[in-house]
Amino acid sequence: MSLTSTIRLVLCGLLLSGTLASAARHRTRHHVPHTQPPVSNAGTTDSTPASLEQTSVQSTAPDPNEIRITGIGKGSVPWTIVVLLTFLTLIPSLLLCMTPFARLLVVFHFLRQALGLQTTPSNQTLIGLALVLTFFLMQPVGAQIYDVSVMPLQKGRISSMQAIERSEKPLREFMLHYVREKDVALFIELAKEPRPATPKDVSLRVLVPAYILSELKAGFQIGAALFLPFLVIDMVVASISTSVGMLQLPPVVISTPLKLLLFVVVDGWHLLISSLMKSFS
């Protein structure tokens, strides 16, 4: 299965979950309590042909919010559910690779290494901070996807496949804005696809790995720039400690507090986060 098909299945799972939640809210809002049929004076229920016909029509009328899962191709429904649940487990990996999460996390790990800290901040803290910032950056894209695909799908104006196609457009525009042309050309050559006439003609099979590669390069560039001032402090401390004969005292013991002091004095977190956010503007 190609990467484009995988991404479409992931988007289908997201739309399916949103539609299920909307259907549940709709049924709760429009639930009508069951009432007993009118009883005649003779003690028997009114079962005229008109009432029976109306009841049968109501029972057989399809629910517009009902979702029926059919087999993929000629496969059975249980195997279809297994395949969909399997691809739902890939949603975090795929979505994080199509968002700025990779760049943010790489920069945060570079910062921790540059400060000489091994476990502070912890991995959970860095991942949580990267997720929050990713949500902040992707909120306009998510709102656009909801407006152009989820809402029309819930109202029954478009089909599921049309909703998936509409969902691809905002993500494609976001990734095209930050991907490098060099990386796109590389994967076009590897995929042996014809050169696209416009950026909008680039397939997701080429765009997604090119975007990941571009984000990793940007993250390493920012990380290398973060390392330079702290590397200067390490070199100066190592030179001074060696010149005064402090050979038994590791330079890291002296340089780490100095680097932390410098980072706190210049308000490093504020400078780092503001620079990262401005890089996506």
Side-chain angles (χ1 to χ4, degrees):
M1 185 177 291
S2 63
L3 180 60
T4 304
S5 301
T6 303
I7 295 174
R8 288 185 175 181
L9 281 174
V10 170
L11 293 174
C12 182
L14 289 175
L15 294 173
L16 179 63
S17 61
T19 309
L20 284 173
S22 175
R25 291 194 300 266
H26 179 79
R27 291 174 182 175
T28 303
R29 190 183 303 113
H30 297 282
H31 176 71
V32 180
H34 178 71
T35 58
Q36 295 293 334
V39 181
S40 61
N41 295 330
T44 58
T45 57
D46 186 7
S47 57
T48 59
S51 62
L52 292 176
E53 182 180 358
Q54 183 179 3
T55 305
S56 62
V57 170
Q58 291 179 354
S59 61
T60 58
D63 188 357
N65 292 319
E66 182 181 2
I67 297 177
R68 296 182 180 180
I69 300 177
T70 58
I72 299 177
K74 296 183 180 180
S76 60
V77 174
W79 279 109
T80 302
I81 296 176
V82 170
V83 171
L84 289 177
L85 290 178
T86 301
F87 280 104
L88 284 176
T89 60
L90 300 177
I91 287 179
S93 300
L94 290 176
L95 291 184
L96 293 180
C97 289
M98 294 186 289
T99 59
F101 179 80
R103 182 195 300 192
L104 297 173
L105 193 60
V106 167
V107 171
F108 292 153
H109 279 284
F110 265 105
L111 175 64
R112 187 171 65 179
Q113 293 295 327
L115 289 173
L117 305 174
Q118 300 299 325
T119 57
T120 304
S122 62
N123 291 330
Q124 291 82 357
T125 304
L126 295 180
I127 292 174
L129 179 59
L131 283 174
V132 171
L133 295 178
T134 301
F135 176 79
F136 177 81
L137 292 170
M138 295 299 295
Q139 193 274 334
V141 180
Q144 187 177 0
I145 292 175
Y146 182 80
D147 292 336
V148 301
S149 62
V150 177
M151 287 186 64
L153 179 63
Q154 292 178 349
K155 295 179 180 179
R157 298 176 181 175
I158 58 176
S159 62
S160 299
M161 293 304 299
Q162 291 175 340
I164 294 173
E165 293 176 357
R166 291 188 180 186
S167 300
E168 292 179 3
K169 184 178 179 181
L171 281 176
R172 182 190 296 273
E173 292 178 352
F174 177 82
M175 290 187 289
L176 283 173
H177 187 71
Y178 299 105
V179 72
R180 297 191 308 166
E181 184 178 355
K182 181 178 179 181
D183 297 329
V184 175
L186 170 64
F187 283 99
I188 288 178
E189 181 182 357
L190 294 176
K192 297 181 180 179
E193 293 185 358
R195 186 178 182 86
T198 60
K200 296 182 179 180
D201 297 332
V202 180
S203 62
L204 287 177
R205 179 191 176 191
V206 171
L207 183 59
V208 173
Y211 173 78
I212 298 172
L213 189 60
S214 301
E215 288 296 293
L216 289 177
K217 178 178 176 57
F220 273 77
Q221 288 177 339
I222 299 174
L226 283 175
F227 250 105
L228 292 178
F230 300 112
L231 180 61
V232 172
I233 295 177
D234 287 333
M235 294 177 63
V236 170
V237 170
S239 300
I240 295 176
S241 62
T242 303
S243 62
V244 298
M246 301 173 60
L247 301 179
Q248 296 182 354
L249 181 64
V252 179
V253 177
I254 304 175
S255 63
T256 300
L258 293 178
K259 290 187 290 186
L260 287 175
L261 181 61
L262 175 65
F263 189 74
V264 172
V265 168
V266 300
D267 199 1
W269 282 112
H270 177 80
L271 293 176
L272 177 62
I273 300 301
S274 62
S275 299
L276 286 174
M277 295 296 102
K278 291 178 182 178
S279 66
F280 289 100
S281 60

